[in-house]
Amino acid sequence: MKRFIDIGANLTDSMFRGVYRGKAAHADDYAAMLDRAWSVGVEKIIVTAGCKQDIDEALTLVKGEPRLYTTVGVHPTRCGEFDAAPSPTEYMDNLRGYIKD
């Protein structure tokens, strides 16, 4: 069996919980989706986190699942978070606080 690493999974998107554009479309199939991935040779998944809210959600997802990892950063479409922070330096320091061994 081939082995894969998914390097950009947007698993914090509500669609993986059955919600599309704010409306419930189907039952939460997150666990089944992961099972499908593991069964076809995906060995690791890197959850992309493009803002602080995504980071918090991604850290919750990866906790306790050794095959899931997350990024910590700001996607260009979310750069407004820098403007909302007291200073860019403080914002970056806050992001660094998420990084752990």
Side-chain angles (χ1 to χ4, degrees):
M1 176 185 297
K2 291 184 179 185
R3 301 180 329 193
F4 303 95
I5 298 174
D6 185 336
I7 62 164
N10 296 313
L11 299 184
T12 60
D13 192 308
S14 61
M15 77 170 76
F16 292 104
R17 302 298 184 170
V19 178
Y20 294 79
R21 298 184 178 137
K23 292 179 153 181
H26 57 78
D28 183 332
D29 62 348
Y30 178 81
M33 177 274 307
L34 285 179
D35 287 342
R36 288 191 303 273
W38 309 140
S39 73
V40 296
V42 175
E43 292 185 345
K44 296 178 182 177
I45 297 174
I46 301 172
V47 180
T48 55
C51 66
K52 284 186 186 180
Q53 179 180 341
D54 286 353
I55 295 167
D56 291 333
E57 292 176 22
L59 287 170
T60 299
L61 292 176
V62 304
K63 192 174 190 168
E65 174 48 76
R67 297 170 288 186
L68 293 179
Y69 299 82
T70 188
T71 62
V72 171
V74 180
H75 191 275
T77 62
R78 309 282 182 79
C79 285
E81 287 191 359
F82 279 98
D83 294 332
S87 75
T89 301
E90 186 175 321
Y91 186 84
M92 289 302 297
D93 288 344
N94 185 271
L95 288 181
R96 286 184 192 96
Y98 285 103
I99 301 169
K100 298 179 175 108
D101 294 18

Coordinates of all heavy atoms in Angstrom, one line a residue:
M1 N 0.8 -1.2 0.0 CA 0.0 0.0 0.0 C 0.9 1.2 0.0 O 1.9 1.3 0.7 CB -0.9 0.0 1.2 CG -1.8 1.3 1.3 SD -2.8 1.4 2.8 CE -3.8 0.0 2.7
K2 N 0.5 2.2 -0.8 CA 1.2 3.5 -0.8 C 1.0 4.2 0.5 O -0.1 4.0 1.1 CB 0.8 4.4 -2.0 CG 1.2 3.8 -3.3 CD 0.8 4.8 -4.4 CE 1.2 4.2 -5.7 NZ 1.0 5.1 -6.8
R3 N 1.9 5.0 0.9 CA 1.8 5.8 2.1 C 1.8 7.3 1.8 O 2.5 7.7 0.9 CB 3.0 5.5 3.0 CG 3.0 4.0 3.4 CD 4.1 3.6 4.3 NE 5.3 4.4 4.2 CZ 6.5 4.1 4.7 NH1 6.6 3.0 5.4 NH2 7.5 4.9 4.5
F4 N 1.0 8.0 2.5 CA 0.8 9.5 2.2 C 0.8 10.3 3.4 O 0.5 9.8 4.5 CB -0.5 9.7 1.5 CG -0.7 8.9 0.2 CD1 -1.4 7.7 0.3 CD2 -0.3 9.4 -1.0 CE1 -1.6 7.0 -0.9 CE2 -0.5 8.6 -2.2 CZ -1.1 7.4 -2.1
I5 N 1.2 11.6 3.2 CA 1.0 12.6 4.3 C 0.2 13.7 3.6 O 0.7 14.3 2.6 CB 2.4 13.1 4.8 CG1 3.2 12.0 5.4 CG2 2.1 14.3 5.8 CD1 4.6 12.4 5.8
D6 N -0.9 14.1 4.2 CA -1.7 15.2 3.7 C -1.1 16.4 4.4 O -1.2 16.6 5.6 CB -3.2 15.0 4.1 CG -4.1 16.1 3.5 OD1 -3.6 17.2 3.2 OD2 -5.3 15.8 3.3
I7 N -0.6 17.3 3.5 CA 0.1 18.5 4.1 C -0.7 19.7 4.2 O -0.2 20.8 4.6 CB 1.4 18.8 3.3 CG1 1.0 19.2 1.9 CG2 2.4 17.6 3.4 CD1 2.1 19.9 1.1
G8 N -2.0 19.7 3.9 CA -2.8 20.9 4.0 C -4.3 20.6 4.1 O -5.1 20.9 3.2
A9 N -4.7 20.0 5.2 CA -6.1 19.6 5.5 C -6.8 20.7 6.3 O -6.3 21.1 7.4 CB -6.1 18.3 6.2
N10 N -7.8 21.2 5.7 CA -8.6 22.3 6.4 C -9.7 21.7 7.3 O -10.9 21.9 7.2 CB -9.2 23.2 5.4 CG -8.2 24.0 4.6 OD1 -7.3 24.5 5.1 ND2 -8.3 24.0 3.3
L11 N -9.2 20.8 8.2 CA -10.2 20.1 9.0 C -11.0 20.9 10.0 O -11.9 20.4 10.7 CB -9.5 18.9 9.8 CG -8.8 17.9 8.9 CD1 -8.2 16.8 9.7 CD2 -9.7 17.4 7.8
T12 N -10.6 22.2 10.2 CA -11.4 23.0 11.1 C -12.6 23.6 10.4 O -13.5 24.2 11.0 CB -10.6 24.2 11.6 OG1 -10.1 25.0 10.5 CG2 -9.4 23.7 12.5
D13 N -12.7 23.3 9.1 CA -13.9 23.8 8.3 C -15.1 23.0 8.8 O -15.1 21.7 8.9 CB -13.7 23.5 6.8 CG -14.7 24.2 6.0 OD1 -15.9 24.0 6.2 OD2 -14.3 25.0 5.1
S14 N -16.2 23.7 9.0 CA -17.5 23.0 9.5 C -18.0 21.9 8.6 O -18.8 21.1 9.0 CB -18.5 24.1 9.8 OG -18.9 24.8 8.7
M15 N -17.6 21.9 7.3 CA -18.1 20.9 6.4 C -17.8 19.5 6.8 O -18.5 18.6 6.5 CB -17.6 21.2 5.0 CG -16.2 20.8 4.7 SD -15.7 20.8 3.0 CE -15.5 22.5 2.7
F16 N -16.7 19.4 7.6 CA -16.3 18.1 8.1 C -17.2 17.6 9.2 O -17.1 16.5 9.7 CB -14.8 18.0 8.5 CG -13.9 18.1 7.3 CD1 -13.3 19.3 7.0 CD2 -13.8 17.1 6.4 CE1 -12.4 19.4 5.9 CE2 -13.0 17.2 5.3 CZ -12.3 18.4 5.1
R17 N -18.0 18.5 9.7 CA -19.0 18.2 10.7 C -20.4 18.2 10.2 O -21.4 18.2 10.9 CB -18.9 19.2 11.9 CG -17.6 19.3 12.5 CD -17.2 18.0 13.1 NE -15.9 18.1 13.8 CZ -15.5 17.2 14.6 NH1 -16.1 16.1 14.8 NH2 -14.3 17.3 15.2
G18 N -20.5 18.3 8.8 CA -21.8 18.2 8.1 C -22.5 19.6 8.0 O -23.7 19.6 7.6
V19 N -21.8 20.7 8.2 CA -22.4 22.0 8.1 C -21.8 22.7 6.9 O -20.6 22.9 6.8 CB -22.2 22.8 9.4 CG1 -22.8 24.2 9.2 CG2 -22.8 22.1 10.6
Y20 N -22.7 23.2 6.0 CA -22.3 23.9 4.8 C -23.0 25.2 4.8 O -24.2 25.3 4.9 CB -22.7 23.1 3.5 CG -21.9 21.8 3.4 CD1 -22.3 20.7 4.1 CD2 -20.8 21.7 2.6 CE1 -21.6 19.5 4.0 CE2 -20.1 20.5 2.4 CZ -20.5 19.4 3.2 OH -19.9 18.2 3.0
R21 N -22.2 26.3 4.7 CA -22.7 27.7 4.7 C -23.7 27.9 5.8 O -24.8 28.5 5.6 CB -23.4 28.0 3.3 CG -22.3 27.9 2.2 CD -22.9 28.3 0.9 NE -21.8 28.2 -0.1 CZ -21.9 27.7 -1.3 NH1 -23.1 27.3 -1.7 NH2 -20.9 27.7 -2.1
G22 N -23.4 27.4 7.0 CA -24.2 27.6 8.2 C -25.4 26.7 8.3 O -26.2 26.8 9.3
K23 N -25.6 25.8 7.4 CA -26.8 24.9 7.5 C -26.3 23.5 7.6 O -25.4 23.0 6.9 CB -27.6 25.0 6.2 CG -28.4 26.3 6.1 CD -29.1 26.3 4.8 CE -30.3 27.2 4.9 NZ -31.1 27.2 3.6
A24 N -27.0 22.7 8.5 CA -26.7 21.3 8.6 C -27.1 20.6 7.3 O -28.3 20.7 6.9 CB -27.4 20.7 9.8
A25 N -26.2 19.9 6.7 CA -26.5 19.2 5.5 C -26.5 17.7 5.6 O -27.1 17.0 4.9 CB -25.4 19.6 4.4
H26 N -25.7 17.2 6.6 CA -25.6 15.7 6.9 C -25.1 15.5 8.2 O -24.5 16.5 8.9 CB -24.8 15.0 5.8 CG -23.4 15.5 5.6 ND1 -22.4 15.1 6.5 CD2 -22.9 16.3 4.7 CE1 -21.3 15.7 6.1 NE2 -21.5 16.4 5.0
A27 N -25.1 14.3 8.7 CA -24.6 14.0 10.0 C -23.0 14.2 10.0 O -22.4 14.2 9.0 CB -24.9 12.6 10.4
D28 N -22.5 14.5 11.2 CA -21.1 14.7 11.4 C -20.4 13.4 11.0 O -20.7 12.3 11.5 CB -20.9 15.0 12.9 CG -19.4 15.2 13.2 OD1 -18.5 14.7 12.5 OD2 -19.2 15.9 14.2
D29 N -19.5 13.5 10.0 CA -18.8 12.4 9.5 C -17.3 12.5 9.6 O -16.5 11.9 8.9 CB -19.2 12.0 8.1 CG -18.8 13.1 7.1 OD1 -18.5 14.2 7.5 OD2 -18.9 12.9 5.9
Y30 N -16.9 13.3 10.6 CA -15.4 13.6 10.8 C -14.7 12.3 11.1 O -13.7 12.0 10.4 CB -15.3 14.6 11.9 CG -13.8 14.9 12.3 CD1 -13.1 15.8 11.5 CD2 -13.2 14.3 13.3 CE1 -11.8 16.1 11.8 CE2 -11.9 14.6 13.7 CZ -11.2 15.5 12.9 OH -9.9 15.8 13.2
A31 N -15.1 11.5 12.0 CA -14.4 10.3 12.4 C -14.4 9.3 11.2 O -13.3 8.7 11.0 CB -15.1 9.6 13.6
A32 N -15.5 9.2 10.5 CA -15.5 8.3 9.3 C -14.6 8.8 8.2 O -13.9 8.0 7.6 CB -16.9 8.2 8.8
M33 N -14.5 10.1 8.1 CA -13.5 10.7 7.1 C -12.1 10.3 7.4 O -11.3 9.9 6.6 CB -13.7 12.2 7.0 CG -12.8 12.9 6.1 SD -11.2 13.5 6.8 CE -11.7 14.3 8.3
L34 N -11.7 10.5 8.7 CA -10.4 10.1 9.1 C -10.2 8.6 8.9 O -9.1 8.2 8.5 CB -10.2 10.5 10.6 CG -9.9 11.9 10.9 CD1 -9.7 12.1 12.4 CD2 -8.7 12.5 10.2
D35 N -11.1 7.8 9.3 CA -11.0 6.3 9.1 C -10.7 6.0 7.6 O -9.9 5.1 7.3 CB -12.2 5.6 9.6 CG -12.3 5.5 11.1 OD1 -11.3 5.7 11.8 OD2 -13.4 5.3 11.6
R36 N -11.4 6.7 6.7 CA -11.2 6.5 5.3 C -9.8 6.9 4.9 O -9.1 6.2 4.1 CB -12.2 7.3 4.4 CG -13.6 6.7 4.5 CD -14.6 7.3 3.4 NE -14.7 8.8 3.5 CZ -15.5 9.4 4.3 NH1 -16.4 8.8 5.1 NH2 -15.6 10.8 4.3
A37 N -9.3 8.0 5.4 CA -8.0 8.4 5.1 C -6.9 7.4 5.6 O -6.1 7.0 4.8 CB -7.7 9.8 5.7
W38 N -7.1 7.0 6.8 CA -6.1 6.0 7.3 C -6.2 4.7 6.5 O -5.1 4.1 6.3 CB -6.4 5.7 8.8 CG -6.5 6.8 9.7 CD1 -7.4 6.9 10.8 CD2 -5.7 8.0 9.8 NE1 -7.2 8.1 11.5 CE2 -6.2 8.8 10.9 CE3 -4.7 8.6 9.1 CZ2 -5.7 10.1 11.2 CZ3 -4.2 9.8 9.4 CH2 -4.7 10.5 10.5
S39 N -7.3 4.3 6.1 CA -7.5 3.0 5.4 C -6.9 3.0 4.0 O -6.6 1.9 3.5 CB -9.0 2.6 5.3 OG -9.7 3.4 4.4
V40 N -6.7 4.1 3.4 CA -6.1 4.2 2.1 C -4.6 4.6 2.1 O -4.0 4.8 1.0 CB -6.9 5.1 1.1 CG1 -8.3 4.5 0.9 CG2 -6.9 6.5 1.6
G41 N -4.0 4.6 3.3 CA -2.6 4.8 3.4 C -2.1 6.2 3.8 O -0.9 6.5 3.8
V42 N -3.0 7.1 4.2 CA -2.6 8.3 4.8 C -2.1 8.0 6.2 O -2.8 7.4 7.0 CB -3.8 9.3 4.8 CG1 -3.4 10.6 5.6 CG2 -4.3 9.7 3.5
E43 N -0.8 8.4 6.4 CA -0.2 8.1 7.7 C -0.2 9.3 8.6 O -0.2 9.1 9.9 CB 1.2 7.7 7.5 CG 1.3 6.3 6.8 CD 2.7 5.8 6.7 OE1 3.7 6.6 6.9 OE2 2.9 4.6 6.4
K44 N -0.2 10.5 8.1 CA -0.2 11.7 8.9 C -1.0 12.8 8.1 O -1.0 12.8 6.9 CB 1.2 12.2 9.1 CG 2.0 11.2 9.9 CD 3.4 11.7 10.1 CE 4.1 10.6 10.9 NZ 5.5 10.8 11.2
I45 N -1.6 13.7 8.9 CA -2.3 14.8 8.3 C -1.9 16.0 9.1 O -1.9 16.1 10.3 CB -3.9 14.6 8.5 CG1 -4.3 13.4 7.7 CG2 -4.6 15.9 8.0 CD1 -5.8 13.0 7.9
I46 N -1.6 17.1 8.3 CA -1.2 18.4 8.9 C -2.4 19.3 8.7 O -2.8 19.6 7.6 CB 0.0 19.0 8.2 CG1 1.2 18.0 8.4 CG2 0.3 20.3 8.8 CD1 2.4 18.4 7.6
V47 N -3.0 19.6 9.8 CA -4.2 20.5 9.8 C -3.8 21.9 9.6 O -2.9 22.4 10.4 CB -5.0 20.4 11.1 CG1 -6.3 21.2 11.1 CG2 -5.4 18.9 11.3
T48 N -4.3 22.6 8.6 CA -3.9 24.0 8.4 C -4.7 24.9 9.3 O -5.9 24.7 9.5 CB -4.1 24.4 7.0 OG1 -5.4 24.2 6.6 CG2 -3.2 23.7 6.0
A49 N -4.0 25.9 9.9 CA -4.7 26.8 10.8 C -4.3 28.2 10.4 O -3.1 28.6 10.5 CB -4.3 26.6 12.3
G50 N -5.2 29.0 9.9 CA -4.9 30.3 9.3 C -5.2 31.5 10.1 O -5.0 32.6 9.7
C51 N -5.7 31.3 11.3 CA -6.0 32.4 12.3 C -6.1 31.8 13.7 O -6.0 30.6 13.8 CB -7.3 33.1 11.9 SG -8.8 32.0 12.1
K52 N -6.2 32.7 14.7 CA -6.2 32.2 16.0 C -7.3 31.2 16.3 O -7.1 30.2 17.0 CB -6.2 33.4 17.0 CG -4.9 34.1 17.1 CD -5.1 35.2 18.2 CE -3.9 36.0 18.3 NZ -4.0 37.0 19.4
Q53 N -8.5 31.5 15.8 CA -9.6 30.6 16.1 C -9.3 29.2 15.5 O -9.6 28.2 16.1 CB -10.9 31.2 15.5 CG -12.1 30.2 15.7 CD -13.4 30.8 15.1 OE1 -13.5 32.0 14.8 NE2 -14.3 29.9 14.9
D54 N -8.8 29.2 14.2 CA -8.4 27.9 13.6 C -7.4 27.2 14.5 O -7.4 26.0 14.6 CB -7.8 28.1 12.2 CG -8.9 28.5 11.2 OD1 -10.1 28.5 11.5 OD2 -8.5 28.8 10.0
I55 N -6.4 27.9 15.0 CA -5.3 27.3 15.8 C -6.0 26.6 17.0 O -5.6 25.5 17.3 CB -4.3 28.3 16.2 CG1 -3.5 28.9 15.0 CG2 -3.3 27.7 17.2 CD1 -2.7 30.1 15.3
D56 N -6.8 27.3 17.7 CA -7.5 26.7 18.9 C -8.3 25.5 18.5 O -8.2 24.4 19.2 CB -8.4 27.7 19.5 CG -7.7 28.9 20.2 OD1 -6.5 28.7 20.6 OD2 -8.3 30.0 20.3
E57 N -9.0 25.5 17.4 CA -9.8 24.4 17.0 C -8.8 23.2 16.5 O -9.1 22.1 16.8 CB -10.7 24.8 15.8 CG -11.8 25.7 16.3 CD -12.7 26.1 15.1 OE1 -12.7 25.5 14.1 OE2 -13.3 27.2 15.2
A58 N -7.8 23.6 15.8 CA -6.9 22.6 15.3 C -6.1 21.9 16.5 O -6.0 20.6 16.5 CB -5.8 23.2 14.4
L59 N -5.8 22.6 17.5 CA -5.1 22.0 18.7 C -6.0 21.0 19.4 O -5.6 20.0 19.8 CB -4.6 23.1 19.6 CG -3.4 23.9 19.1 CD1 -3.1 25.1 20.1 CD2 -2.2 23.0 19.1
T60 N -7.3 21.4 19.4 CA -8.3 20.4 20.0 C -8.4 19.2 19.1 O -8.4 18.1 19.7 CB -9.7 21.1 20.1 OG1 -9.6 22.2 20.9 CG2 -10.7 20.2 20.6
L61 N -8.4 19.3 17.8 CA -8.5 18.2 16.9 C -7.3 17.2 17.0 O -7.4 16.0 17.0 CB -8.6 18.6 15.4 CG -9.9 19.3 15.0 CD1 -9.8 19.8 13.6 CD2 -11.1 18.4 15.2
V62 N -6.1 17.8 17.1 CA -4.9 17.0 17.1 C -4.5 16.4 18.5 O -3.8 15.4 18.5 CB -3.6 17.8 16.6 CG1 -3.9 18.3 15.2 CG2 -3.2 18.8 17.5
K63 N -5.1 16.9 19.5 CA -4.8 16.4 20.8 C -5.3 14.9 20.9 O -6.4 14.6 20.7 CB -5.6 17.2 21.9 CG -5.1 17.0 23.3 CD -5.8 18.0 24.2 CE -5.1 17.9 25.6 NZ -5.5 19.0 26.4
G64 N -4.4 14.1 21.3 CA -4.7 12.7 21.5 C -4.7 11.8 20.2 O -5.0 10.6 20.3
E65 N -4.4 12.4 19.1 CA -4.3 11.7 17.8 C -2.9 11.9 17.3 O -2.7 12.9 16.6 CB -5.4 12.1 16.8 CG -5.3 11.5 15.5 CD -5.1 10.0 15.4 OE1 -6.1 9.3 15.7 OE2 -4.0 9.5 15.2
P66 N -2.0 10.9 17.5 CA -0.6 11.1 17.1 C -0.4 11.2 15.6 O 0.7 11.7 15.2 CB 0.1 9.9 17.7 CG -1.0 8.9 17.8 CD -2.3 9.6 18.1
R67 N -1.4 10.9 14.8 CA -1.2 11.1 13.3 C -1.6 12.4 12.8 O -1.4 12.7 11.6 CB -2.0 10.0 12.6 CG -1.5 8.6 13.0 CD -2.4 7.5 12.4 NE -3.6 7.5 13.2 CZ -4.6 6.6 13.1 NH1 -4.5 5.6 12.2 NH2 -5.7 6.6 13.8
L68 N -2.1 13.3 13.7 CA -2.6 14.6 13.3 C -1.6 15.7 13.9 O -1.2 15.6 15.0 CB -4.0 15.0 13.8 CG -5.1 14.2 13.2 CD1 -6.4 14.6 13.9 CD2 -5.2 14.3 11.7
Y69 N -1.3 16.6 13.0 CA -0.4 17.8 13.4 C -1.1 19.0 13.0 O -2.0 19.0 12.2 CB 1.0 17.7 12.7 CG 1.7 16.4 13.0 CD1 1.4 15.2 12.4 CD2 2.7 16.4 14.0 CE1 2.1 14.0 12.7 CE2 3.4 15.3 14.3 CZ 3.1 14.1 13.6 OH 3.8 12.9 13.9
T70 N -0.6 20.2 13.4 CA -1.2 21.4 13.0 C -0.1 22.5 12.7 O 1.0 22.4 13.2 CB -2.2 22.0 14.0 OG1 -2.9 23.1 13.4 CG2 -1.5 22.4 15.3
T71 N -0.5 23.4 11.8 CA 0.3 24.6 11.6 C -0.1 25.7 12.6 O -1.2 25.6 13.2 CB 0.2 25.1 10.2 OG1 -1.2 25.5 10.0 CG2 0.5 24.1 9.1
V72 N 0.7 26.7 12.8 CA 0.4 27.9 13.5 C 0.8 29.0 12.7 O 2.0 29.1 12.3 CB 1.2 27.9 14.9 CG1 1.0 29.2 15.6 CG2 0.7 26.8 15.8
G73 N -0.1 29.8 12.3 CA 0.2 31.0 11.4 C -1.0 31.8 11.0 O -2.1 31.6 11.6
V74 N -0.8 32.7 10.1 CA -1.8 33.5 9.6 C -1.9 33.4 8.1 O -0.9 33.7 7.4 CB -1.6 35.0 10.0 CG1 -2.7 35.9 9.5 CG2 -1.4 35.1 11.5
H75 N -3.0 33.0 7.6 CA -3.3 33.0 6.2 C -3.4 34.4 5.7 O -3.9 35.3 6.3 CB -4.5 32.2 5.9 CG -4.7 31.9 4.4 ND1 -5.3 32.8 3.6 CD2 -4.3 30.8 3.7 CE1 -5.3 32.2 2.3 NE2 -4.7 31.0 2.4
P76 N -2.9 34.7 4.4 CA -3.0 36.1 3.9 C -4.4 36.6 3.9 O -4.6 37.9 4.1 CB -2.5 35.9 2.5 CG -1.5 34.8 2.5 CD -2.2 33.8 3.6
T77 N -5.4 35.8 3.8 CA -6.8 36.3 3.9 C -7.3 36.7 5.3 O -8.3 37.2 5.4 CB -7.8 35.3 3.3 OG1 -7.8 34.1 4.1 CG2 -7.5 35.0 1.8
R78 N -6.5 36.4 6.3 CA -6.8 36.6 7.7 C -5.9 37.7 8.3 O -5.8 37.8 9.5 CB -6.8 35.3 8.5 CG -7.5 34.2 7.9 CD -9.0 34.3 8.2 NE -9.8 33.2 7.7 CZ -9.9 32.0 8.3 NH1 -9.3 31.8 9.5 NH2 -10.7 31.1 7.8
C79 N -5.1 38.4 7.5 CA -4.2 39.3 8.0 C -4.8 40.5 8.8 O -4.1 41.2 9.5 CB -3.3 39.9 6.9 SG -2.1 38.7 6.3
G80 N -6.1 40.7 8.7 CA -6.8 41.7 9.5 C -6.6 41.5 11.0 O -6.8 42.4 11.7
E81 N -6.3 40.3 11.4 CA -6.0 40.0 12.8 C -4.9 40.8 13.3 O -4.8 41.2 14.5 CB -5.8 38.5 13.0 CG -7.1 37.7 12.9 CD -6.9 36.3 13.5 OE1 -5.7 35.9 13.9 OE2 -7.8 35.5 13.4
F82 N -3.9 41.1 12.4 CA -2.8 41.9 12.8 C -3.3 43.3 13.2 O -2.8 44.0 14.1 CB -1.7 42.0 11.7 CG -0.8 40.8 11.7 CD1 -1.0 39.8 10.8 CD2 0.3 40.8 12.5 CE1 -0.2 38.7 10.8 CE2 1.2 39.7 12.5 CZ 0.9 38.7 11.6
D83 N -4.2 43.9 12.3 CA -4.7 45.2 12.5 C -5.5 45.3 13.8 O -5.5 46.3 14.5 CB -5.6 45.6 11.4 CG -4.8 45.8 10.1 OD1 -3.6 46.1 10.2 OD2 -5.4 45.6 9.0
A84 N -6.2 44.2 14.2 CA -7.0 44.2 15.4 C -6.2 44.1 16.7 O -6.7 44.4 17.7 CB -8.1 43.1 15.3
A85 N -5.0 43.6 16.6 CA -4.1 43.4 17.7 C -3.5 44.7 18.2 O -3.4 45.7 17.4 CB -3.0 42.4 17.4
P86 N -3.2 44.8 19.5 CA -2.5 46.0 20.0 C -1.3 46.4 19.2 O -1.0 47.6 18.9 CB -2.2 45.7 21.4 CG -3.2 44.7 21.8 CD -3.4 43.9 20.5
S87 N -0.5 45.4 18.7 CA 0.6 45.6 17.9 C 1.0 44.3 17.1 O 0.7 43.2 17.6 CB 1.8 46.0 18.7 OG 2.4 44.9 19.4
P88 N 1.6 44.4 16.0 CA 2.0 43.2 15.2 C 2.9 42.3 16.0 O 2.8 41.1 16.0 CB 2.7 43.8 14.0 CG 2.1 45.1 13.8 CD 1.8 45.6 15.2
T89 N 3.8 43.0 16.8 CA 4.8 42.2 17.6 C 4.0 41.4 18.7 O 4.3 40.2 18.9 CB 5.8 43.1 18.3 OG1 6.5 43.8 17.3 CG2 6.8 42.4 19.1
E90 N 3.0 42.0 19.3 CA 2.3 41.3 20.3 C 1.5 40.1 19.7 O 1.4 39.0 20.3 CB 1.3 42.3 21.0 CG 0.6 41.6 22.2 CD -0.3 42.6 23.0 OE1 0.1 43.8 23.1 OE2 -1.4 42.2 23.4
Y91 N 1.0 40.4 18.5 CA 0.2 39.3 17.8 C 1.2 38.1 17.5 O 0.8 37.0 17.8 CB -0.4 39.8 16.5 CG -1.3 38.8 15.8 CD1 -2.6 38.7 16.2 CD2 -0.8 38.0 14.8 CE1 -3.4 37.7 15.6 CE2 -1.6 37.1 14.2 CZ -2.9 36.9 14.6 OH -3.7 36.0 14.0
M92 N 2.4 38.4 17.0 CA 3.3 37.3 16.7 C 3.8 36.6 18.0 O 3.9 35.4 18.0 CB 4.5 37.9 15.9 CG 4.2 38.3 14.5 SD 3.5 36.9 13.5 CE 4.9 35.8 13.5
D93 N 4.0 37.4 19.0 CA 4.4 36.8 20.3 C 3.3 35.8 20.8 O 3.6 34.7 21.3 CB 4.7 37.8 21.4 CG 6.0 38.6 21.1 OD1 6.8 38.1 20.3 OD2 6.1 39.6 21.7
N94 N 2.0 36.2 20.6 CA 0.9 35.3 20.9 C 0.9 34.1 20.1 O 0.7 33.0 20.6 CB -0.4 36.1 20.8 CG -1.6 35.3 21.3 OD1 -2.2 34.5 20.5 ND2 -1.9 35.5 22.5
L95 N 1.2 34.2 18.8 CA 1.3 33.0 18.0 C 2.4 32.1 18.4 O 2.2 30.9 18.5 CB 1.5 33.4 16.5 CG 0.3 34.0 15.8 CD1 0.7 34.3 14.3 CD2 -0.9 33.1 15.8
R96 N 3.5 32.7 18.8 CA 4.7 31.9 19.2 C 4.3 31.1 20.5 O 4.8 30.0 20.7 CB 5.9 32.8 19.5 CG 6.6 33.2 18.2 CD 7.8 34.0 18.6 NE 8.3 34.7 17.4 CZ 8.0 35.9 17.0 NH1 7.3 36.7 17.8 NH2 8.5 36.5 15.9
G97 N 3.4 31.6 21.3 CA 3.0 31.0 22.5 C 2.2 29.6 22.2 O 2.2 28.8 23.1
Y98 N 1.7 29.5 21.0 CA 1.1 28.2 20.7 C 2.1 27.1 20.3 O 1.7 25.9 20.3 CB 0.2 28.4 19.4 CG -1.1 29.1 19.7 CD1 -1.3 30.5 19.3 CD2 -2.2 28.5 20.3 CE1 -2.5 31.1 19.5 CE2 -3.4 29.1 20.5 CZ -3.5 30.4 20.1 OH -4.7 31.1 20.3
I99 N 3.3 27.5 20.0 CA 4.3 26.5 19.6 C 4.9 25.8 20.8 O 5.4 26.4 21.7 CB 5.4 27.2 18.7 CG1 4.7 27.9 17.5 CG2 6.4 26.2 18.3 CD1 5.7 28.8 16.8
K100 N 4.8 24.5 20.8 CA 5.3 23.7 21.9 C 6.1 22.5 21.3 O 5.9 22.2 20.1 CB 4.1 23.1 22.7 CG 3.3 24.2 23.4 CD 2.2 23.7 24.2 CE 1.4 24.8 24.9 NZ 0.2 25.1 24.4
D101 N 6.9 21.9 22.1 CA 7.7 20.7 21.7 C 6.7 19.6 21.2 O 5.7 19.4 21.7 CB 8.5 20.2 22.8 CG 9.6 21.3 23.2 OD1 9.5 22.5 22.9 OD2 10.5 20.8 23.8

